[in-house]
């Protein structure tokens, strides 16, 4: 502290403040140090005052830290649970727009913490690169490449010609143009799929396909398969709509249905920002850390939309626990609560008899380390002050 | 499909920086935290980020997250098979 002594009563320069604050790295979070620096650089402070400020901030920071033994899980559960009781009432007011109310209300929150395999409304937000971002037509082009188009989508009608054993597909020129396809594309796709034998004939906007079969049942099966033949786009992506961000003026694409792995490899897509609301898919494509972030963001989206204020720290805790084992684990019976090491804790949660019988059959052992099992047997619980034990020396 | 482009997980903004620690570095950190490696959160060796680093089961990965509360937060994950 020799340096500081010299400048006790002198007004410090920004560099001097910065140098002093740099010493706090490790004692305070980076964000607090940055905030402190920007506040202090607006004012005139002497060395003595700076030391006082630092001392007070350190004191308050330590006071604000979570105490050892604090039941953070319980506090988190209550802090998310209480506001979500208000959500139930509100979510029914979007009558008619099911998609909207589902996507942003309590059912969605439950879906996230239950870690359902597929969200009820799977959706991606596809951002575009510099070149395509500000041009509606270019954005549309990419949307066409993403949206799944099958023959069924572009056909006005498909009929089976039982006399000639043919399938007659009448294409809709308008839809074709809309999806950026030509009759030639459809023909090519059909030829690729038809295998050996069979022929494809084009007459204007009508395609006649004669597969090499002589069985009516088979013919019908082939027609069903042809209707689902992919012409363009990605599997599972039912819809792709171009939207414009009012703030930045950039175009982006919102999809119904997700296929993150494929969309990230499409040229023109900004593979740094594009995301999916399917947590399992994100974990698979981008890893468990990205999934953790998506869990937090998706929960925040719901709470924000409902106008509820929940501290992110609670959501971060939920996401941390859900991703702790390297894969996504739901909070409930088949995840966090169901994997507790204590028999009594599991039995106290759900399906009591089931757990007790199984534990007895297996000869399980309860170490009585958790809260629930100690409540059951009547011990002090290892939380808060119950966490510490006293060792007294007889003098 | 047209030309495919290569995709690097670490370029994505949802993926924080992952650093593979050497055995010695991992040992120092575990000593500082006073825990066994399996007490850390886990990451599977088949995780896209772990695979990109070439991590093997038993390794420890340092993850530098951007945090809305602390600015930057450093966490560790223990690589497990799977």
């Amino acid at each position: 502290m020799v340096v500081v002594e010299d400048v006790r009563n002198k007004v410090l320069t920004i560099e001097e403040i910065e140098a002093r604050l740099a010493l706090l790295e490790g004692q305070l979070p980076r964000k607090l140090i940055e905030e402190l620096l920007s506040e202090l650089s607006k004012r005139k402070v002497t060395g003595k005052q700076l030391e006082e400020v630092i001392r007070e901030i350190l004191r308050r920071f330590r006071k604000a830290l979570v105490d050892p033994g604090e039941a953070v899980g319980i506090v988190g559960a209550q802090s998310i649970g209480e506001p979500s009781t208000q959500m139930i009432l509100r979510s029914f007011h979007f009558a008619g727009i099911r998609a909207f109310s589902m996507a942003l209300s309590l059912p969605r929150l439950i879906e996230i913490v239950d870690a359902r395999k597929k969200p009820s409304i799977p959706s991606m937000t596809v951002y575009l690169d510099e070149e395509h971002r500000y041009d509606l037509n270019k954005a549309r082009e990419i949307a066409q490449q993403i949206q799944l188009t099958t023959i069924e989508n572009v056909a006005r009608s498909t009929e089976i010609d039982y006399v000639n054993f043919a399938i007659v597909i009448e294409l809709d020129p308008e839809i074709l143009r809309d999806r950026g396809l030509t009759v030639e594309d459809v023909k090519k796709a059909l030829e690729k799929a038809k295998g050996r034998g069979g022929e494809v004939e084009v007459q204007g906007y009508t395609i006649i396909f004669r597969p090499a079969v002589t069985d009516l049942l088979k013919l019908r099966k082939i027609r069903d398969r042809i209707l689902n033949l992919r012409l363009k786009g990605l599997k599972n992506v039912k819809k792709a709509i171009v939207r414009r961000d009012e703030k930045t003026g950039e175009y982006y694409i919102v999809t119904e249905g997700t296929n993150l792995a494929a969309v990230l490899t499409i040229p023109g897509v900004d593979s740094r920002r594009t995301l999916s609301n399917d947590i399992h898919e994100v974990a698979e494509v981008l890893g468990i850390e990205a999934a953790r972030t998506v869990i937090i963001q998706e929960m925040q989206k719901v709470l924000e939309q409902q106008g509820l204020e929940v501290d992110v720290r609670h959501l971060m805790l939920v996401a941390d626990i859900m991703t702790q084992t390297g894969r996504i684990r739901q909070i409930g019976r088949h995840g966090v609560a169901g994997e507790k090491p204590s028999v009594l804790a599991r039995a106290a949660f759900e399906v009591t008899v089931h757990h007790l019988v199984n534990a007895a059959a297996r000869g399980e052992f309860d170490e009585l380390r958790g809260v629930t099992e100690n409540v059951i047997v009547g011990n002090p619980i290892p939380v808060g002050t119950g966490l510490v034990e006293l060792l007294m020396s007889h003098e | 499909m047209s030309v495919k482009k290569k995709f690097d997980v670490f370029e994505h903004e949802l993926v924080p920086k992952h650093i593979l620690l050497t055995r010695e570095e991992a040992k120092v950190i575990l000593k500082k935290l006073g825990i066994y490696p399996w007490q850390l959160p886990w990451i599977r060796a088949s995780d896209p980020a772990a695979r990109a680093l070439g991590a093997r089961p038993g390794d420890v990965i340092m993850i530098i997250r951007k945090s809305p509360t602390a600015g930057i937060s450093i966490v560790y994950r223990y690589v497990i098979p799977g």
Side-chain angles (χ1 to χ4, degrees):
Chain A
M1 289 300 140
V2 191
V3 193
V4 181
E5 286 305 321
D6 292 339
V7 292
R8 278 189 75 83
N9 292 312
K10 189 190 123 220
V11 173
L12 298 175
T13 64
I14 293 170
E15 288 75 32
E16 281 170 318
I17 297 174
E18 206 173 344
R20 176 64 186 96
L21 291 181
L23 298 176
L24 295 174
E25 185 88 28
Q27 288 183 74
L28 286 178
R30 177 85 52 93
K31 199 175 169 195
L32 260 184
I33 296 178
E34 278 162 17
E35 230 169 87
L36 192 54
L37 180 65
S38 82
E39 278 304 315
L40 285 173
S41 53
K42 278 186 230 153
R43 286 158 234 261
K44 288 195 174 95
V45 279
T46 65
K48 195 176 161 194
Q49 286 169 325
L50 179 63
E51 287 309 314
E52 254 167 61
V53 168
I54 288 171
R55 199 183 322 124
E56 182 62 14
I57 289 209
L58 276 177
R59 194 181 69 81
R60 292 213 190 172
F61 177 71
R62 286 187 193 124
K63 222 175 140 188
L65 285 178
V66 171
D67 296 318
E70 177 79 65
V72 285
I74 299 288
V75 174
Q78 288 175 341
S79 306
I80 298 170
E82 193 277 330
S84 57
T85 57
Q86 296 167 39
M87 213 152 45
I88 307 171
L89 299 170
R90 225 177 291 190
S91 68
F92 289 115
H93 287 266
F94 297 106
I97 328 169
R98 194 189 82 97
F100 187 61
S101 64
M102 264 300 280
L104 291 167
S105 72
L106 191 68
R108 173 66 183 144
L109 205 61
I110 293 169
E111 200 172 271
I112 297 166
V113 294
D114 274 356
R116 301 260 169 80
K117 269 284 173 259
K118 276 275 162 222
S120 56
I121 300 155
S123 160
M124 292 188 294
T125 311
V126 182
Y127 290 97
L128 306 169
D129 65 10
E130 282 290 340
E131 191 196 331
H132 299 80
R133 205 177 286 166
Y134 301 107
D135 188 328
L136 182 59
N137 288 325
K138 283 182 177 167
R140 282 219 177 104
E141 240 168 68
I142 298 213
Q144 282 174 356
Q145 279 182 50
I146 293 171
Q147 179 169 348
L148 179 68
T149 306
T150 58
I151 292 201
E152 190 177 16
N153 295 135
V154 293
R156 196 182 282 158
S157 72
T158 47
E159 266 155 39
I160 296 180
D161 183 346
Y162 291 105
V163 182
N164 301 315
F165 280 102
I167 298 163
V168 183
I169 306 162
E170 203 183 317
L171 300 172
D172 189 322
E174 242 168 73
I175 296 180
L176 269 183
R177 192 161 10 94
D178 213 46
R179 305 270 177 136
L181 286 163
T182 60
V183 180
E184 200 53 31
D185 290 328
V186 183
K187 191 189 162 199
K188 263 189 212 148
L190 268 174
E191 264 168 359
K192 217 170 154 191
K194 79 178 176 171
R196 242 180 305 152
E199 34 185 289
V200 184
E201 199 188 316
V202 181
Q203 292 175 357
Y205 280 104
T206 310
I207 291 183
I208 302 163
F209 175 50
R210 292 192 200 89
V213 287
T214 48
D215 185 342
L216 280 180
L217 268 173
K218 262 193 192 149
L219 194 64
R220 272 195 208 137
K221 253 184 213 155
I222 288 176
R223 183 188 65 163
D224 292 345
R225 232 186 24 234
I226 278 177
L227 284 179
N228 286 318
L229 192 64
R230 195 182 76 171
L231 295 172
K232 206 176 189 182
L234 308 176
K235 216 177 134 195
N236 291 335
V237 182
K238 281 182 219 103
K239 242 179 210 164
I241 302 155
V242 178
R243 290 228 186 114
R244 184 164 177 272
D245 189 316
E246 292 304 328
K247 264 184 247 146
T248 58
E250 71 172 304
Y251 291 100
Y252 62 97
I253 300 165
V254 179
T255 68
E256 196 189 314
T258 66
N259 192 342
L260 190 60
V263 91
L264 289 174
T265 60
I266 289 182
V269 168
D270 185 350
S271 54
R272 281 171 300 136
R273 292 187 296 157
T274 293
L275 46 99
S276 158
N277 73 350
D278 183 342
I279 298 156
H280 290 276
E281 185 180 38
V282 171
E284 210 171 282
V285 178
L286 297 172
I288 196 73
E289 277 294 317
R292 188 195 93 104
T293 321
V294 171
I295 292 174
I296 298 170
Q297 284 179 357
E298 286 291 314
M299 286 198 284
Q300 259 185 318
K301 236 193 255 170
V302 175
L303 295 168
E304 212 168 276
Q305 201 276 331
Q306 297 276 334
L308 302 172
E309 234 172 90
V310 174
D311 197 290
V312 251
R313 275 162 265 240
H314 301 307
L315 308 180
M316 280 155 73
L317 182 69
V318 170
D320 275 336
I321 294 298
M322 285 179 72
T323 58
Q324 192 187 23
T325 57
R327 52 185 92 209
I328 314 262
R329 209 161 50 134
Q330 70 151 176
I331 294 290
R333 168 179 33 214
H334 302 291
V336 178
E339 283 169 24
K340 283 184 180 174
S342 162
V343 193
L344 292 177
R346 269 180 285 132
F349 179 56
E350 272 173 4
V351 278
T352 310
V353 179
H354 175 88
H355 276 122
L356 292 178
V357 169
N358 277 350
R362 274 190 238 125
E364 262 182 64
F365 194 81
D366 201 316
E367 298 200 35
L368 299 181
R369 299 234 213 142
V371 176
T372 321
E373 50 270 39
N374 278 300
V375 171
I376 291 172
V377 300
N379 278 344
I381 54 169
V383 154
T385 49
L387 197 68
V388 287
E389 280 165 35
L390 273 186
L391 190 68
M392 298 218 304
S393 61
H394 286 278
E395 277 289 293
Chain B
M1 202 152 307
S2 51
V3 221
K4 286 208 172 173
K5 59 180 182 187
K6 207 146 161 34
F7 168 67
D8 173 12
V9 272
F10 294 118
E11 267 180 25
H12 202 284
E13 63 174 15
L14 285 178
V15 184
K17 199 169 185 182
H18 289 55
I19 298 166
L20 186 60
L21 298 181
T22 62
R23 296 273 144 143
E24 287 71 41
E25 287 170 324
K27 213 175 253 174
V28 171
I29 278 149
L30 290 168
K31 180 108 198 201
K32 199 177 103 192
L33 297 171
I35 56 172
Y36 296 107
W38 51 263
Q39 288 175 304
L40 291 170
W42 303 339
I43 185 167
R44 288 192 289 163
S46 62
D47 190 275
R51 245 191 348 223
L53 288 177
R56 309 259 290 282
D59 289 336
V60 173
I61 293 177
M62 175 162 94
I63 294 155
I64 304 172
R65 288 180 189 153
K66 275 186 218 121
S67 154
T69 50
I72 273 179
S73 83
I74 294 172
V75 292
Y76 303 93
R77 277 186 190 269
Y78 179 54
V79 183
I80 57 162

